[in-house]
Amino acid sequence: MRVIMPNYYKKFVCKAERCRDNCCKTDWRIELDEDTYKKYQGVSGELGEKLRLAVGSDGDGYYIVHPCPMLRSDGLCEAYLSLGNEGLGYICRMHPRFINSYSDREELGVGLACEEAARLIMTEPMSLETDEMIGGEVSFKDDHAEAILKIRNKIIDFVMASDDIGKDISGILKYTQSIEAEVLGGQYKTAFEKIILPYDRHEEKSCENIAEVIEKLFDMEILDNSWTEILRGAKEKIKEPNGDFDEELKRIFCYFIYRYFAEYSLDGQMLSAVKLAAVSFIILRELFKGRSFDERINLAHMYSKEIEYSEENLENLCFDFFVDKVFEVEEIIKMI
Ligand code: SF4
């Protein structure tokens, strides 16, 4: 079994008490696995009582109540301090890390919804590293998944070498559109042989399209009210892109491709994965204008929390990719 990860994966360290938006304070449903639940039942004394108070249950299983009583006022987790890493439930232990399993490999990453992960994603040019997992579960190569991962990696390499990210993302949209049906039907030759070319429409960018997309975000589930203000501010100052922050934005584009391209493709939605990366690029470029690096990190993590980490919002957005004119490939290209 191979383990693949971006070069920055091993550098991730939780900021804990220095984090401005501690994930334990976020109003997410945090599932608690059965093993940890049982472990908590066996902890004695005041700590055990507190741990049990931190757990709720319903028809879907166990979850950590909100706000989590184990989170101390200094931002540290009492369960971790008392019981160590093994005392945490799977999600608490893993977040913001994620694992995707394909073919004979596991792919690891850190999610943009965490501000420290966002900092790494935006700072480090993406390259993928491989470790061999000793004693890992042996699995067999899946040719279809292998082909999709090869195409995914070709896209990441193309983006990382880009010196005109707008034209190159447009080119990736056109490339994906042209190969999707064949690849999903098990024909990979064209996709492997075809060179991804930059695509330039030589036309004015469509600020109306960008405004329409931002407008859609207002109608989605909102986690934090300040997100509405941020969107309103961005909508009021939409203008032609000037290339600021292209390097950060292309790393974020790669994050979305790395995380979702294979998963969506195996689900028959290859083009949606590229649209998600492209639309995230467009929205974040608007949010980033005139902002400091620290503010841009905060905005990227907020976007991820509000859109990427909201199951409902992500599902709605991906549905809109199929039905809304503004998300047709040519219309997205007008915004890039
Ligand atoms: S959001 Fe990230 S840095 Fe902050 S507490 Fe959670 S894992 Fe740590």
Side-chain angles (χ1 to χ4, degrees), residues 1-2 100-107 137-147 149 262 266:
M1 158 93 51
R2 286 179 294 159
N100 290 326
S101 302
Y102 308 112
S103 190
D104 68 339
R105 71 192 73 179
E106 287 198 335
E107 294 198 340
E137 208 178 296
V138 178
S139 53
F140 297 98
K141 283 203 173 179
D142 170 341
D143 289 345
H144 187 54
E146 288 294 329
L149 290 166
L266 290 168

Side-chain angles (χ1 to χ4, degrees), residues 12 14-16 19 21-23 95-96 114 116:
F12 175 78
C14 169
K15 290 172 77 178
C19 180
D21 188 16
N22 191 308
C23 50
H95 184 81
C114 154
E116 175 57 9

Side-chain angles (χ1 to χ4, degrees), residues 121-158:
I121 290 165
M122 290 162 65
T123 316
E124 306 260 342
M126 181 185 272
S127 62
L128 300 181
E129 294 175 353
T130 305
D131 274 0
E132 296 297 326
M133 190 196 265
I134 299 163
E137 208 178 296
V138 178
S139 53
F140 297 98
K141 283 203 173 179
D142 170 341
D143 289 345
H144 187 54
E146 288 294 329
I148 284 166
L149 290 166
K150 191 170 165 184
I151 296 163
R152 191 267 321 257
N153 293 351
K154 174 172 164 170
I155 292 174
I156 291 176
D157 290 345
F158 179 68

Side-chain angles (χ1 to χ4, degrees), residues 44-153:
S44 57
E46 214 179 301
L47 178 68
E49 273 171 41
K50 208 166 172 185
L51 281 168
R52 288 185 283 282
L53 278 178
V55 181
S57 71
D58 57 19
D60 293 329
Y62 304 108
Y63 60 90
I64 301 290
V65 300
H66 182 80
C68 178
M70 303 313 290
L71 183 66
R72 303 190 332 182
S73 56
D74 60 4
L76 298 175
C77 169
E78 204 174 325
Y80 177 80
L81 293 173
S82 305
L83 303 171
N85 206 31
E86 294 310 306
L88 301 181
Y90 179 77
I91 291 184
C92 296
R93 210 162 52 233
M94 284 299 290
H95 184 81
R97 299 168 188 85
F98 62 85
I99 303 178
N100 290 326
S101 302
Y102 308 112
S103 190
D104 68 339
R105 71 192 73 179
E106 287 198 335
E107 294 198 340
L108 313 180
V110 285
L112 194 63
C114 154
E115 63 175 39
E116 175 57 9
R119 188 189 68 75
L120 286 168
I121 290 165
M122 290 162 65
T123 316
E124 306 260 342
M126 181 185 272
S127 62
L128 300 181
E129 294 175 353
T130 305
D131 274 0
E132 296 297 326
M133 190 196 265
I134 299 163
E137 208 178 296
V138 178
S139 53
F140 297 98
K141 283 203 173 179
D142 170 341
D143 289 345
H144 187 54
E146 288 294 329
I148 284 166
L149 290 166
K150 191 170 165 184
I151 296 163
R152 191 267 321 257
N153 293 351

Side-chain angles (χ1 to χ4, degrees), residues 175-331:
Y175 167 79
T176 313
Q177 190 179 37
S178 70
I179 61 159
E180 185 182 34
E182 278 187 17
V183 172
L184 297 185
Q187 306 295 316
Y188 315 116
K189 196 167 177 284
T190 316
F192 292 162
E193 288 175 355
K194 204 167 190 169
I195 295 167
I196 309 175
L197 293 170
Y199 181 76
D200 188 6
R201 296 180 62 257
H202 300 294
E203 283 175 36
E204 291 280 298
K205 300 288 171 261
S206 172
C207 295
E208 292 75 30
N209 278 9
I210 298 175
E212 191 180 330
V213 171
I214 294 178
E215 194 58 44
K216 284 181 189 303
L217 303 187
F218 282 110
D219 296 336
M220 294 190 169
E221 179 194 45
I222 305 272
L223 208 66
D224 182 333
N225 288 335
S226 62
W227 178 239
T228 314
E229 289 311 308
I230 289 166
L231 291 177
R232 192 165 290 127
K235 196 177 164 213
E236 278 163 12
K237 48 179 193 297
I238 297 170
K239 49 181 185 254
E240 286 273 309
N242 56 10
D244 283 352
F245 320 128
D246 274 1
E247 287 302 311
E248 288 166 20
L249 289 163
K250 84 181 187 190
R251 289 168 196 157
I252 293 174
F253 181 89
C254 284
Y255 159 80
F256 278 100
I257 293 293
Y258 173 69
R259 184 165 187 174
Y260 296 104
F261 186 87
E263 179 192 331
Y264 281 31
S265 299
L266 290 168
D267 204 23
Q269 298 185 53
M270 179 182 280
L271 192 54
S272 290
V274 181
K275 286 183 179 180
L276 175 63
V279 168
S280 301
F281 171 92
I282 292 160
I283 294 166
L284 286 171
R285 188 184 58 198
E286 292 307 319
L287 300 188
F288 282 5
K289 281 177 190 159
R291 303 293 196 141
S292 68
F293 182 56
D294 216 31
E295 289 169 325
R296 297 197 297 278
I297 290 173
N298 189 40
L299 288 164
H301 113 272
M302 277 193 86
Y303 169 79
S304 172
K305 271 176 76 174
E306 295 284 342
I307 307 298
E308 184 195 356
Y309 274 67
S310 160
E311 214 174 302
E312 180 184 326
N313 288 345
L314 195 57
E315 246 176 47
N316 287 340
L317 190 61
C318 288
F319 177 75
D320 288 350
F321 289 161
F322 283 103
V323 295
D324 243 310
K325 182 158 176 52
V326 76
F327 291 127
E328 287 175 5
V329 165
E330 287 301 331
E331 296 301 317

